[in-house]
Amino acid sequence: MKSTSIKVEPSTGAPHLTVRLSSTARGARLARRLAGQQLAAWGLPYDSETSHAVALVTDELAANAVTHGRTPGRDFRLTLLLLHEHGVVRVEVTDTRPGCRPRVPAAEPAAPDAPSGRGLLLVAACAERWDCEVRDAYTKTVWAEVALPPASVSRHLSRAAAEGDRTMAGQSQRSTLGN
């Protein structure tokens, strides 16, 4: 784990997506797809290196929440934050087992023939930094920050994110009115 962390809450005004998903394999797959779709809405192409890295990190963190952080009948929460001022996309996955914290992969490497245990190595390789926080007695949040592309692309993302937030707000309002 890399030690520097950025304290961020969605209320900072940064473009973000927060969604609750079922603690199942289907929920983990949906988390990955939503991450790619949200980055595209913010102007980052699906086939970009950053989009692939965010999708992989989201997939691994969501799979860990489903596998190790699951409490029957409880969901996990995915939050994506576009943090231009820090040059990162922050992926947060919150589950309902604060006592089951992830182990540092370098401290306890998986056995070569083990069927699992390498996911956090992938997260560490793709992310600038990652960590786990217990914010209350009922949940823990594992987060990772993936670097944004160079400044020229980031300026484009900033404009696209502002437009995407207005578009998503309009879609949300229409879907609420339709129900």
Side-chain angles (χ1 to χ4, degrees), residues 40-59:
W42 286 336
L44 195 65
Y46 281 113
D47 61 348
S48 69
E49 199 171 303
T50 302
S51 184
H52 289 296
V54 168
L56 177 64
V57 166
T58 301
D59 192 40

Side-chain angles (χ1 to χ4, degrees), residues 123-145:
V123 170
C126 292
E128 293 292 306
R129 58 192 146 269
W130 72 274
D131 203 351
C132 177
E133 298 172 355
V134 176
R135 296 177 180 166
D136 58 42
Y138 308 104
T139 63
K140 76 169 176 294
T141 300
V142 182
W143 57 265
E145 295 170 348

Side-chain angles (χ1 to χ4, degrees), residues 54-74:
V54 168
L56 177 64
V57 166
T58 301
D59 192 40
E60 291 299 333
L61 296 184
N64 283 350
V66 168
T67 304
H68 306 292
R70 183 173 186 259
T71 301
R74 301 287 306 272

Side-chain angles (χ1 to χ4, degrees), residues 17-136:
L17 167 75
T18 299
V19 62
R20 283 179 39 188
L21 299 164
S22 66
S23 291
T24 62
R26 177 180 273 176
R29 280 192 311 270
L30 184 56
R32 180 184 179 115
R33 288 181 183 220
L34 287 171
Q37 187 175 24
Q38 185 60 52
L39 290 178
W42 286 336
L44 195 65
Y46 281 113
D47 61 348
S48 69
E49 199 171 303
T50 302
S51 184
H52 289 296
V54 168
L56 177 64
V57 166
T58 301
D59 192 40
E60 291 299 333
L61 296 184
N64 283 350
V66 168
T67 304
H68 306 292
R70 183 173 186 259
T71 301
R74 301 287 306 272
D75 297 335
F76 72 92
R77 182 178 64 223
L78 169 67
T79 301
L80 300 173
L81 295 141
L82 183 61
L83 303 172
H84 290 290
E85 65 277 5
H86 299 291
V88 297
V89 174
R90 183 175 173 116
V91 178
E92 296 182 353
V93 175
T94 303
D95 66 47
T96 56
R97 295 205 39 212
C100 187
R101 295 175 58 101
R103 61 188 167 96
V104 178
E108 301 174 40
D113 59 345
S116 64
R118 294 170 195 79
L120 291 176
L121 285 172
L122 294 172
V123 170
C126 292
E128 293 292 306
R129 58 192 146 269
W130 72 274
D131 203 351
C132 177
E133 298 172 355
V134 176
R135 296 177 180 166
D136 58 42

